[in-house]
Amino acid sequence: MSYTGPGFDPPQPRRSLRGPLTVALAALVPGALLGWAVYAAVDGPGNGGSSAGASATASASAPSGAPSSTTPSPSGDRKPSASPTAEESPSPSASTSAPAASGPLKGKVVVIDPGHNPGNFRHTAEINRQVDIGTNRKECDTTGTSTDDGYAEARFTLDVAHRMRALLEEQGATVKLTQDADRPFGPCVDERARIGNAAKADAVVSLHADGSGAGNRGFHVILPGAVDAGAADTRAIVGPSRDLGERIAGNFVRVTGSAPSNYVGGGTGLVTRKDLGGLNLSTVPKVFVECGNMRDSKDAALLTSGAWRQKAARGISDGIVSFLRG
């Protein structure tokens, strides 16, 4: 998801709620600080070397996340390949997983919201339709962004969602995806929120990758702001969503070694927004995770690596497990 793309307003300046080490402290694990330190020493902003994460993934797997063949779309976004690789092939449907027999998360419901849909680019009229997000009206959805080589955000988010589903089901959770490339386009942002609400989810995570400028690196977690307008009332979920987001951010640092965004969030890896329908209309704890910037070559090298995507899935899932276990 790009701040400069269609349907997304630029983030508003925010007061720093915590110091630059908020993310590491939120995880309550020394490993988070270590991962961040490794990033800063090896490949922090301004350093020319390759990142620790990229080195690890290069030796861990073949380039299974190689870019898809694409063609430019009228909006400037690239069209994702119609046929994902075998590693990324979607499951038959987005139906809820069968409840596990045992595990620490037995009885818990997690909704994973893979940002955008691989078929959105074929349905521009439908996804440009305006929907009510409480504070105003916005496009149903967007095509998302891509790397310069054409690896689509929609393809990335679906792959990470599949990996997260497997990890969370191992812990006993019941997992539902808002879409699994099993529908022509969408769902719209308001429907994405309703899916989590209807599932009475204990936690919802929307997966994205940003489309900011080259040189802008790192991940950030978007938290819902306090909104009470129209159909939106987030006041009850602001606190638990922040708890969920802080735990995800800390574990993301710990597992991936990636640093928080160097262009939003003031170094905390946390950003609060009131302009996203998927958050505004949620009645259950929910956050967005921007896993990196697809338009930066170093971040793109991570995002297109299957081994790194597994780390990202593990970091986000560990944050969800931490939140649900209290």
Side-chain angles (χ1 to χ4, degrees), residues 39-228:
Y39 172 90
V42 179
D43 194 28
N47 291 340
S50 62
S51 72
S55 299
T57 56
S59 61
S61 71
S64 57
S68 61
S69 59
T70 58
T71 56
S73 69
S75 66
D77 291 303
R78 296 171 184 258
K79 298 179 180 181
S81 168
S83 301
T85 64
E87 178 190 8
E88 300 169 342
S89 296
S91 56
S93 73
S95 60
T96 303
S97 63
S102 62
L105 298 187
K106 181 174 174 59
K108 299 294 186 180
V109 176
V110 177
V111 171
I112 303 172
D113 178 28
H116 314 289
N117 179 316
N120 275 359
F121 73 94
R122 299 186 186 94
H123 298 273
T124 54
E126 291 90 343
I127 67 171
N128 285 331
R129 178 174 62 86
Q130 298 280 305
V131 298
D132 182 10
I133 66 166
T135 53
N136 61 338
R137 298 182 69 83
K138 280 198 168 182
E139 291 88 346
C140 157
D141 201 0
T142 71
T143 59
T145 187
S146 69
T147 66
D148 289 340
D149 289 334
Y151 182 70
E153 179 184 4
R155 182 173 163 189
F156 168 82
T157 62
L158 201 57
D159 181 62
V160 175
H162 291 162
R163 296 169 187 271
M164 285 178 58
R165 177 169 60 189
L167 292 168
L168 292 166
E169 286 177 347
E170 288 176 359
Q171 297 288 317
T174 298
V175 181
K176 181 179 180 65
L177 272 59
T178 58
Q179 60 92 12
D180 202 357
D182 53 349
R183 53 189 292 165
F185 65 92
C188 296
V189 294
D190 55 339
E191 184 182 351
R192 289 174 185 267
R194 288 196 297 271
I195 291 170
N197 298 345
K200 295 181 170 56
D202 296 287
V204 183
V205 174
S206 188
L207 300 173
H208 291 271
D210 209 355
S212 187
N216 291 340
R217 295 200 61 194
F219 78 93
H220 61 280
V221 180
I222 303 176
L223 314 174
V227 173
D228 181 18

Side-chain angles (χ1 to χ4, degrees), residues 12-23 36 223 242 246 264-272:
Q12 299 301 312
R14 62 186 295 273
R15 296 185 180 91
S16 177
L17 299 178
R18 288 168 172 78
L21 298 181
T22 296
V23 170
W36 197 346
L223 314 174
R242 171 168 284 275
E246 288 178 345
V264 291
T268 66
L270 302 172
V271 176
T272 300

Side-chain angles (χ1 to χ4, degrees), residues 207-317:
L207 300 173
H208 291 271
D210 209 355
S212 187
N216 291 340
R217 295 200 61 194
F219 78 93
H220 61 280
V221 180
I222 303 176
L223 314 174
V227 173
D228 181 18
D233 186 354
T234 64
R235 291 173 295 178
I237 68 164
V238 167
S241 295
R242 171 168 284 275
D243 185 18
L244 172 63
E246 288 178 345
R247 291 173 188 261
I248 288 175
N251 279 280
F252 198 90
V253 169
R254 177 180 62 83
V255 177
T256 67
S258 294
S261 169
N262 64 5
Y263 59 100
V264 291
T268 66
L270 302 172
V271 176
T272 300
R273 293 178 65 176
K274 299 180 180 181
D275 64 322
L276 300 176
L279 294 179
N280 287 358
L281 301 176
S282 182
T283 60
V284 294
K286 182 174 182 178
V287 299
F288 281 41
V289 182
E290 297 278 3
C291 296
N293 176 23
M294 295 195 118
R295 295 297 184 171
D296 176 83
S297 61
K298 292 180 180 179
D299 269 10
L302 300 178
L303 296 165
T304 54
S305 162
W308 189 87
R309 292 196 300 273
Q310 185 65 26
K311 291 181 180 180
R314 171 71 69 180
I316 298 169
S317 297

